[in-house]
Amino acid sequence: MIKNLLANVGEYKKESLITPLFVTGEVVLDIVIPLLMAMMIDKGIETKNISEILKYGGLLFVCALIALYLGAMSGRYAAIASAGFARNLRNRLFNQVQDFSFSNIDRFSTSSLITRMTTDVTNVQNAYQMVIRILVRSPLIFIFSLAMAFTINKDLSLIYLAVIPFLLVGLALVIYFAHPKFEMVFRIYDKLNNVVQENLQGIRVVKSYVREDHEKEKFQKVSKEIYQNFSVAQSIVAFNNPILQTAVYTCMLLISWLGAKFVVGSTLTTGELVSMFTYTMQILMSLNMLSMVFVMVLIARTSAERITEVLDETSDIKNPANPLFEVTDGSINFKDVTFSYANDENKLALGKTNLSIRAGEVIGIVGGTGSSKSTLVQLIPRLYDATQGTVEIAGHNVKEYDLETLRDQVSMVLQKNVLFTGTIKENLRWGNEDATDEDLIRVCKIAQADSFIQEFPDKYDTLISQGGNNVSGGQKQRLCIARALLKKPKILILDDSTSAVDTKTDRLIREGMRQEIPGTTTFVIGQRISSIEDSDRIIVMDNGAVNAVGTHDELLKTNQIYQEVYDSQVKGFGEDNV
């Protein structure tokens, strides 16, 4: 895990290595300063020698200035190294998620991935900064101060050997009991982010159903869980301070009591006793800083494990060794294809399927909710891979194609499409970044989007808010259809993508697409018979399997499911709504 994380230090190795060097220099001066103080007291103040006082006082001033400079530089380089490390780590996490298949993403919730890229990375960043600075400084201070204390007086220094084990055992117990609580806190953070994200995305639904109180209660419940668990964890960590204070004051009292006797007995000078007090504080404060680092590392350990889970996740869908970089046509064959979201043959979402679709055909797909209509078409661009069997495009298994090439030739327009923050032009150019303004207008006219765009004050430069919340559902769908048309793909999949537009607009869109991309194989998933009745063939899905394939007229004569859907729409809504 540590090796995996440290690989992200990258170009900030120099700053990471320079920081301990500055820290070491600062520590050396911190050790020298008490010695100079002792000499100034013994050779200057005790003997009332002004020249010695000035000499050692000047040395102390110079050492203090240099130590201040080294401390500032170590802080600066530690901040640069840790911020750069966090940037690289966050970029790697984001890039890793971009390569995930849908099944990989299904293993992590969206809110969890957000927490890992924000809160968890920040925790690891803070820990890294403390490790390359404080974790270097504290052991050096401890070792050098202890060595100097033994040099001054071995008998007094034995006090440390009695107190330090007590401090270390207390720290170990704090870490042992606090770690599980911090793990729990971060799992609940995921829940909190999920509640917030869900509420903000569905704020219109919340308000329309007057469910603000319910959402507040749900948020407060999760927030209370965090408070309770974090309070317990911090309460355990809080024991660190009284343990440290007990050790510090015990050492001070014992050194004061025994040191006074040694001074009276002339085996210890006054200056040496003062330096012993200084070294005592340095030894125990170094242990205190170590405990702070350990607490931070304790918190970061949980975050590091969560980050490593994402970094170690291997995408289920990969490029082949020698991929094909050209999709010659849009013909598609399903050969004994089955699919399971759980990768379990006993839990199939799509039963054994065999289909042969010619290039340029318009294929309608109809079926009840949960009949695996979307599952079927998601196997074509390898959003998921078939559990068994093969999906072929232009006579080649889809697994033989370069992923980018394959997906560039398969456009999907979903019922719940996403528009990104930016202008309408910027959103449309996701389909073709080199498209001219004339191209944009042409496809928008085909998608019946140009008319409402022209009504906006800024027209095609109108800014789309996050998630496209400042346009209606029908407008969003039409913009997404226009975006897909810009690609001029070999295969176009419309997954119930005109559900929010009226039947007349739906018909105009379909007519425009036939003229714009006549050689494109098109799949139209629809709930309305009117959306698919003019398809070359229609696939009827039922309970995760292909129930029938045929034209509109053929299915009306031979297929009961299609007849029922048609009759319910004709009789329930009238011919104008079919």
Side-chain angles (χ1 to χ4, degrees):
M1 178 178 75
I2 294 175
K3 184 179 179 181
N4 198 357
L5 292 176
L6 289 180
N8 298 281
V9 174
E11 66 272 28
Y12 297 96
K13 289 179 183 176
K14 176 185 173 183
E15 287 81 2
S16 298
L17 293 174
I18 288 176
T19 298
L21 294 178
F22 280 119
V23 170
T24 302
E26 183 187 7
V27 168
V28 170
L29 291 172
D30 285 343
I31 298 300
V32 169
I33 286 173
L35 284 178
L36 294 176
M37 288 178 61
M39 291 178 183
M40 186 174 69
I41 291 171
D42 292 338
K43 295 182 180 182
I45 297 174
E46 291 268 332
T47 60
K48 299 181 180 179
N49 188 328
I50 299 299
S51 62
E52 290 293 312
I53 292 174
L54 291 175
K55 182 177 77 172
Y56 287 110
L59 287 172
L60 278 171
F61 180 74
V62 171
C63 287
L65 279 180
I66 296 174
L68 180 63
Y69 171 77
L70 293 174
M73 294 305 293
S74 68
R76 178 175 181 271
Y77 281 104
I80 293 172
S82 60
F85 166 66
R87 186 192 72 171
N88 291 342
L89 183 57
R90 198 173 287 113
N91 286 342
R92 186 179 167 195
L93 277 170
F94 186 80
N95 293 335
Q96 177 82 345
V97 172
Q98 296 307 300
D99 291 334
F100 280 175
S101 67
F102 276 23
S103 57
N104 292 123
I105 294 173
D106 290 343
R107 295 190 190 112
F108 302 95
S109 68
T110 303
S111 57
S112 178
L113 287 172
I114 291 172
T115 305
R116 292 170 203 241
M117 281 190 269
T118 52
T119 304
D120 287 330
V121 171
T122 300
N123 288 336
V124 172
Q125 174 186 347
N126 292 336
Y128 182 72
Q129 182 173 356
M130 295 189 78
V131 164
I132 62 175
R133 192 181 181 199
I134 307 300
L135 198 58
V136 173
R137 175 185 171 82
S138 296
L140 290 177
I141 284 280
F142 176 78
I143 293 169
F144 290 156
S145 296
L146 196 61
M148 294 304 297
F150 269 94
T151 301
I152 293 171
N153 192 294
K154 294 180 181 178
D155 294 331
L156 275 180
S157 300
L158 292 175
I159 294 170
Y160 304 130
L161 299 182
V163 173
I164 289 172
F166 162 77
L167 194 59
L168 294 177
V169 170
L171 177 61
L173 290 173
V174 166
I175 293 173
Y176 176 79
F177 287 107
H179 179 64
K181 292 297 179 183
F182 281 118
E183 284 186 325
M184 178 69 71
V185 165
F186 285 108
R187 283 197 295 270
I188 302 172
Y189 266 132
D190 290 344
K191 290 172 60 180
L192 182 70
N193 281 344
N194 187 57
V195 169
V196 173
Q197 182 184 21
E198 191 176 61
N199 177 268
L200 293 177
Q201 287 179 343
I203 192 65
R204 287 171 172 77
V205 178
V206 172
K207 289 187 176 298
S208 64
Y209 281 87
V210 197
R211 296 286 284 175
E212 289 92 343
D213 291 340
H214 170 75
E215 289 297 306
K216 288 176 183 177
E217 184 181 342
K218 188 164 62 173
F219 177 85
Q220 288 168 359
K221 182 180 178 181
V222 180
S223 183
K224 185 178 180 181
E225 282 187 70
I226 293 177
Y227 163 75
Q228 290 173 336
N229 283 276
F230 206 81
S231 295
V232 172
Q234 290 290 6
S235 298
I236 295 171
V237 170
F239 278 102
N240 180 60
N241 193 52
I243 292 171
L244 175 72
Q245 293 297 325
T246 301
V248 169
Y249 291 125
T250 300
C251 284
M252 286 296 190
L253 288 171
L254 290 174
I255 288 173
S256 297
W257 179 51
L258 294 175
K261 290 187 175 182
F262 290 145
V263 171
V264 172
S266 300
T267 57
L268 188 73
T269 67
T270 303
E272 288 174 336
L273 180 59
V274 172
S275 65
M276 284 295 290
F277 281 127
T278 304
Y279 286 130
T280 298
M281 288 302 298
Q282 286 184 342
I283 289 169
L284 296 176
M285 290 309 294
S286 69
L287 291 175
N288 181 41
M289 286 190 289
L290 272 176
S291 69
M292 289 171 58
V293 173
F294 281 126
V295 169
M296 180 60 72
V297 169
L298 174 65
I299 297 172
R301 175 185 162 189
T302 304
S303 293
E305 290 169 351
R306 287 158 51 82
I307 290 170
T308 305
E309 281 179 359
V310 178
L311 295 179
D312 289 343
E313 180 78 8
T314 303
S315 178
D316 296 334
I317 296 176
K318 297 180 180 178
N319 258 352
N322 298 297
L324 299 173
F325 289 96
E326 183 183 4
V327 180
T328 57
D329 62 59
S331 61
I332 302 168
N333 289 300
F334 286 77
K335 296 183 176 180
D336 297 326
V337 172
T338 64
F339 176 75
S340 169
Y341 287 102
N343 201 26
D344 184 347
E345 293 181 13
N346 298 317
K347 297 179 180 178
L348 294 178
L350 182 68
K352 185 174 288 188
T353 301
N354 288 280
L355 290 169
S356 181
I357 297 160
R358 297 181 295 275
E361 270 196 296
V362 177
I363 303 296
I365 303 178
V366 68
T369 302
S371 60
S372 296
K373 302 185 296 296
S374 297
T375 300
L376 178 72
V377 295
Q378 286 176 349
L379 300 178
I380 298 172
R382 292 191 71 192
L383 299 181
Y384 292 97
D385 270 341
T387 304
Q388 288 185 344
T390 59
V391 180
E392 293 181 352
I393 295 179
H396 294 281
N397 191 326
V398 290
K399 294 181 180 180
E400 296 177 21
Y401 287 103
D402 170 68
L403 268 174
E404 185 175 342
T405 300
L406 174 66
R407 291 174 180 172
D408 198 43
Q409 291 300 323
V410 182
S411 283
M412 290 193 71
V413 184
L414 308 176
Q415 182 180 4
K416 295 181 179 179
N417 265 282
V418 175
L419 294 175
F420 297 88
T421 303
T423 64
I424 290 177
K425 282 183 179 179
E426 290 169 345
N427 272 276
L428 291 172
R429 287 196 171 109
W430 275 61
N432 179 2
E433 60 184 14
D434 298 321
T436 64
D437 288 353
E438 290 73 18
D439 292 332
L440 302 184
I441 294 171
R442 188 186 76 256
V443 294
C444 283
K445 285 181 177 178
I446 294 169
Q448 304 302 305
D450 181 70
S451 57
F452 73 79
I453 293 174
Q454 295 296 341
E455 293 176 0
F456 293 139
D458 296 324
K459 297 181 171 49
Y460 282 82
D461 291 313
T462 298
L463 187 66
I464 299 293
S465 64
Q466 185 178 20
N469 290 327
N470 60 333
V471 292
S472 70
Q475 290 172 338
K476 188 186 297 185
Q477 286 185 337
R478 281 176 275 173
L479 287 172
C480 292
I481 290 171
R483 182 172 64 186
L485 291 176
L486 269 179
K487 292 179 71 173
K488 292 191 174 179
K490 294 289 193 302
I491 299 167
L492 175 64
I493 299 170
L494 305 175
D495 189 352
D496 207 11
S497 55
T498 57
S499 59
V501 301
D502 59 80
T503 53
K504 180 182 177 182
T505 303
D506 183 13
R507 177 175 54 79
L508 292 172
I509 291 172
R510 285 184 282 111
E511 289 175 357
M513 286 195 300
R514 281 186 179 275
Q515 296 174 9
E516 175 72 8
I517 47 174
T520 295
T521 305
T522 305
F523 290 85
V524 182
I525 299 176
Q527 299 297 332
R528 293 185 304 211
I529 295 296
S530 60
S531 298
I532 61 171
E533 64 180 347
D534 58 350
S535 302
D536 296 319
R537 285 186 294 165
I538 299 169
I539 299 172
V540 180
M541 300 291 295
D542 181 46
N543 198 27
V546 175
N547 182 269
V549 180
T551 64
H552 172 71
D553 293 334
E554 290 171 348
L555 293 173
L556 273 180
K557 296 175 183 177
T558 61
N559 187 261
Q560 184 179 355
I561 295 175
Y562 194 80
Q563 291 168 356
E564 290 175 354
V565 174
Y566 181 80
D567 289 342
S568 66
Q569 292 184 9
V570 171
K571 295 174 182 178
F573 301 102
E575 290 288 350
D576 292 339
N577 292 294
V578 178

